[in-house]
Amino acid sequence: MNWFGRKKEKQTPSAVSSTSKNGRGGGSGGGGGGATARQTTTANTVVSLRESIATQEKREQHLERKIVDLTAEARAKMAKKDKKGALFSLKRKKLYEAEIDKIANIKMTLETQVMNLESAAQNAATFQAMNAGKNAMSNIREDTNIDKVDDLMDEIKEEMEMADEISNALAQPVDPLLQDEDDLLAELQELEAQDVEDELLMPAKAEEVILPDVPSGELPKIPNATKAEEAELKQLEAELAGL
């Protein structure tokens, strides 16, 4: 039997409770879709908490105005010697002040929840980024493992050696007489030896000495010559005339 009139409506779960449920029981949906859904839920929860903080601040400002009014009311009643009315106003003022203290605690709790949620979301995003980096490195390692790298280096060395062999083969001279070069050198040495022998066997040629012509006239006389010098000069002329 309902003693209080209308039946109480079923309460809709709040964003905070739904977030906690999703955090505990939403692990079955893996992959990017589940992560995106959790990020959306976290963002919605943060928005809801900030709205709750704003509502509490508005209520706090309203109670502060009430306290100011009650303080003024108590002073006015004291001025009218209405101590009972003034006391009642102060009691109401104390209730509002206690309510403001509660609101301050609630705001602190909400702010703490917002900070924790934002920190958790940041940590989750960091974890996802690090996990994606790890998966990317794992995929790269699958394509470039150590065995494949060793095989690649061996193939590169083989190709380089083959290229060197091809270059050396192309650099070889194409000469049909290259194989007979030793025979040709031996024949050339024989010819040189024969030339030297012929030169040694040839008679030596006398070098032709070119003498000056014999003078046909008399030799010039030496001025101031002595008798001995004149005798030698005459003897020389006689010898030249006999040639």
Side-chain angles (χ1 to χ4, degrees):
M1 184 174 180
N2 188 2
W3 297 96
F4 301 99
R6 192 174 56 182
K7 185 178 179 181
K8 187 176 180 181
E9 295 180 357
K10 186 176 180 181
Q11 235 179 358
T12 305
S14 64
V16 178
S17 61
S18 62
T19 305
S20 59
K21 289 179 181 178
N22 290 334
R24 290 192 298 269
S28 59
T36 305
R38 285 193 295 272
Q39 289 177 357
T40 304
T41 303
T42 302
N44 292 336
T45 303
V46 171
V47 171
S48 178
L49 289 171
R50 291 196 180 280
E51 290 176 352
S52 298
I53 293 172
T55 301
Q56 294 296 329
E57 288 177 348
K58 291 180 181 178
R59 188 161 178 263
E60 184 180 19
Q61 292 173 1
H62 173 70
L63 292 177
E64 287 175 350
R65 288 194 295 268
K66 285 284 188 181
I67 290 173
V68 172
D69 294 341
L70 287 172
T71 302
E73 182 180 336
R75 287 177 179 174
K77 288 181 178 181
M78 285 294 295
K80 294 178 181 180
K81 307 298 182 180
D82 186 4
K83 293 183 178 180
K84 187 176 180 179
L87 183 61
F88 182 72
S89 298
L90 290 178
K91 287 182 179 181
R92 291 177 61 194
K93 174 177 172 288
K94 290 295 182 181
L95 290 175
Y96 289 149
E97 289 175 348
E99 189 66 19
I100 286 177
D101 292 337
K102 293 178 183 179
I103 290 173
N105 293 332
I106 292 172
K107 285 170 58 180
M108 179 62 66
T109 302
L110 292 173
E111 289 285 356
T112 303
Q113 282 186 311
V114 170
M115 291 178 63
N116 290 336
L117 278 174
E118 291 177 343
S119 178
Q122 184 65 34
N123 292 336
T126 303
F127 171 78
Q128 291 174 7
M130 295 174 68
N131 191 37
K134 183 265 297 180
N135 292 334
M137 291 180 65
S138 178
N139 294 333
I140 293 173
R141 259 198 326 273
E142 289 179 359
D143 295 334
T144 56
N145 55 37
I146 187 62
D147 295 332
K148 291 182 179 179
V149 171
D150 289 339
D151 294 340
L152 177 62
M153 295 304 297
D154 291 339
E155 292 176 0
I156 290 174
K157 290 179 181 177
E158 291 177 0
E159 292 296 332
M160 292 178 66
E161 291 175 357
M162 183 64 68
D164 289 339
E165 291 178 2
I166 293 173
S167 298
N168 293 332
L170 293 175
Q172 291 180 0
V174 180
D175 189 354
L177 300 177
L178 183 62
Q179 296 179 353
D180 300 333
E181 187 174 353
D182 294 337
D183 297 337
L184 294 175
L185 290 174
E187 184 177 354
L188 181 61
Q189 289 178 357
E190 291 179 359
L191 292 175
E192 290 178 351
Q194 186 176 359
D195 291 341
V196 172
E197 184 178 357
D198 292 342
E199 289 180 359
L200 292 175
L201 294 177
M202 288 178 63
K205 294 182 179 179
E207 294 184 359
E208 185 178 359
V209 179
I210 301 174
L211 299 174
D213 295 335
V214 179
S216 58
E218 294 181 356
L219 293 176
K221 294 183 179 181
I222 301 174
N224 301 323
T226 62
K227 291 182 179 181
E229 288 177 348
E230 289 179 355
E232 289 179 1
L233 183 59
K234 288 179 180 181
Q235 184 179 358
L236 180 58
E237 288 178 354
E239 290 177 358
L240 291 175
L243 292 177

